[in-house]
């Protein structure tokens, strides 16, 4: 195993663990169903307060997933 393969393998492991953590931190998409059944009101401000953190986590998930896929492809070519 060359040095480049070793470094890319470490990047893949770190990205995989980080990707798992970020996905687990995200809230579920069915949270609106429970508030509809329990009578919770969704105002414009209440919807947008929760979206900032979820939006950031979704963007981080996309970036880390792209890094993971690129690293796997590069490792396959090396």
């Amino acid at each position: 195993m060359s040095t480049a393969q070793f470094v890319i393998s470490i990047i893949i492991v770190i990205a995989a663990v980080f990707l798992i953590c970020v996905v687990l931190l995200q809230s579920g998409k069915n949270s609106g169903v429970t508030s509809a059944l329990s009578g919770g009101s969704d105002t414009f401000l209440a919807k947008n307060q929760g979206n900032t953190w979820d939006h950031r986590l979704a963007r981080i998930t996309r970036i880390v997933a792209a890094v993971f896929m690129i690293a796997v492809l590069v490792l396959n070519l090396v």
Side-chain angles (χ1 to χ4, degrees), residues 12-76:
I12 289 172
V13 169
I14 291 171
V17 171
F18 191 70
L19 188 62
I20 290 169
C21 293
V22 171
V23 167
L24 288 175
L25 284 173
Q26 292 180 3
S27 63
K29 298 293 181 187
N30 59 358
S31 61
V33 174
T34 57
S35 66
L37 294 175
S38 64
S41 64
D42 286 335
T43 62
F44 178 73
L45 294 175
K47 285 183 179 180
N48 288 333
Q49 285 176 350
N51 287 340
T52 57
W53 182 246
D54 286 336
H55 180 67
R56 288 180 186 166
L57 285 175
R59 186 173 50 188
I60 291 171
T61 302
R62 280 185 246 127
I63 293 169
V64 174
V67 168
F68 179 79
M69 288 188 299
I70 290 169
V72 168
L73 289 174
V74 169
L75 183 64
N76 190 24

